[in-house]
Amino acid sequence: MASWKSNIENIHELDATHNTLVSYTSGFAIGIIAVNLIYPKLPGNVANATTYPFPVKYKVVSFEIEQLFSGDPAIKEQILNAARELEAEGVRAIIGACGYFAHFQKDIANVVDVPVFMSSLCQLPLIKTALGERKKIAVFAASGDDIDDELLAKVGSDSSRLIVQNIGNLESFSAIRWGRPELDNGKLKQDICDIAAKLVEENPDIGAILLECSDLPPYAKAIQARTGLPVFDFNTMIDNVYHAVVQKEYYGYF
């Protein structure tokens, strides 16, 4: 009998006897908790399902984004319930669609039995390990003042070797920051790339860039083209997590 976490890769496995969770849908390995915010979410955005070559399942939570930036305890139970629901519906890993879900990383990991990666900041230990100690990491953040050692400790890191670049006060980012229906995507891309280029020019010891915000992956390729640096974001993390929880056989030749 095949486990519900088995991958069906051929006709023999398809014709096997299957045992699964009781759920109204299936086939979602990645579950994403997203805040109910209204603004254009373009391909590449974590909240745009066309970003991924595999199906993802969303669970919405509703509160002011400033509450998430600060880690307001009043919103914790709603987030925990969303995680529990995603697990009950069969996802193999849970992601948060905002870097400041890091405030609740440990809380959520302790109430579910699937892996939890609530923030792109979870990649910081990996990036620090990959770079020489003389190298720094530029972190582009929607609310730079809220990235501190207390928050970073929840994802196994600290502020050492980080250069935090706030982008939340950009006029071109205001549609995302304040929930407006019209976004000048070209202007925002240009502004972020200009900031990245200037930051790297002023800090030649930057070895990588990490995009905290789940709205920034659409600009990762352009940032890399301007700076020539590795760019990590939510989607580099989600792709990695997906391949960890949905392993497949390799076929080819040698």
Side-chain angles (χ1 to χ4, degrees), residues 123-220:
Q123 297 169 102
L124 277 173
L126 174 69
I127 303 169
K128 286 187 175 183
T129 299
L131 299 177
E133 293 182 358
R134 70 188 184 283
K135 293 290 187 179
K136 295 181 179 177
I137 303 163
V139 178
F140 280 52
S143 182
D145 291 342
D146 289 304
I147 294 185
D148 55 24
D149 281 324
E150 182 180 359
L151 174 68
L152 294 170
K154 295 173 181 176
V155 293
S157 190
D158 56 40
S159 58
S160 65
R161 301 167 59 196
L162 301 189
I163 298 174
V164 177
Q165 175 63 55
N166 182 49
I167 54 92
N169 56 1
L170 290 175
E171 175 58 31
S172 54
F173 189 73
S174 63
I176 295 173
R177 178 66 180 83
W178 304 109
R180 297 170 185 161
E182 184 173 308
L183 172 69
D184 187 338
N185 193 53
K187 181 65 166 64
L188 178 55
K189 181 190 292 184
Q190 185 66 51
D191 287 348
I192 291 175
C193 287
D194 288 347
I195 290 171
K198 185 172 186 290
L199 191 64
V200 171
E201 181 181 1
E202 294 174 348
N203 301 272
D205 54 350
I206 292 176
I209 295 171
L210 172 62
L211 308 180
E212 165 277 317
C213 180
S214 61
D215 303 300
L216 294 184
Y219 317 109

Side-chain angles (χ1 to χ4, degrees), residues 96-109:
C98 175
Y100 296 93
F101 274 114
H103 285 292
F104 306 101
Q105 168 68 30
K106 293 184 177 180
D107 296 307
I108 298 168

Side-chain angles (χ1 to χ4, degrees), residues 24-45:
Y24 65 97
T25 59
S26 64
F28 299 95
I30 300 296
I32 300 175
I33 301 175
V35 185
N36 187 15
L37 300 172
I38 306 302
Y39 55 83
K41 301 172 183 70
L42 301 178
N45 193 303

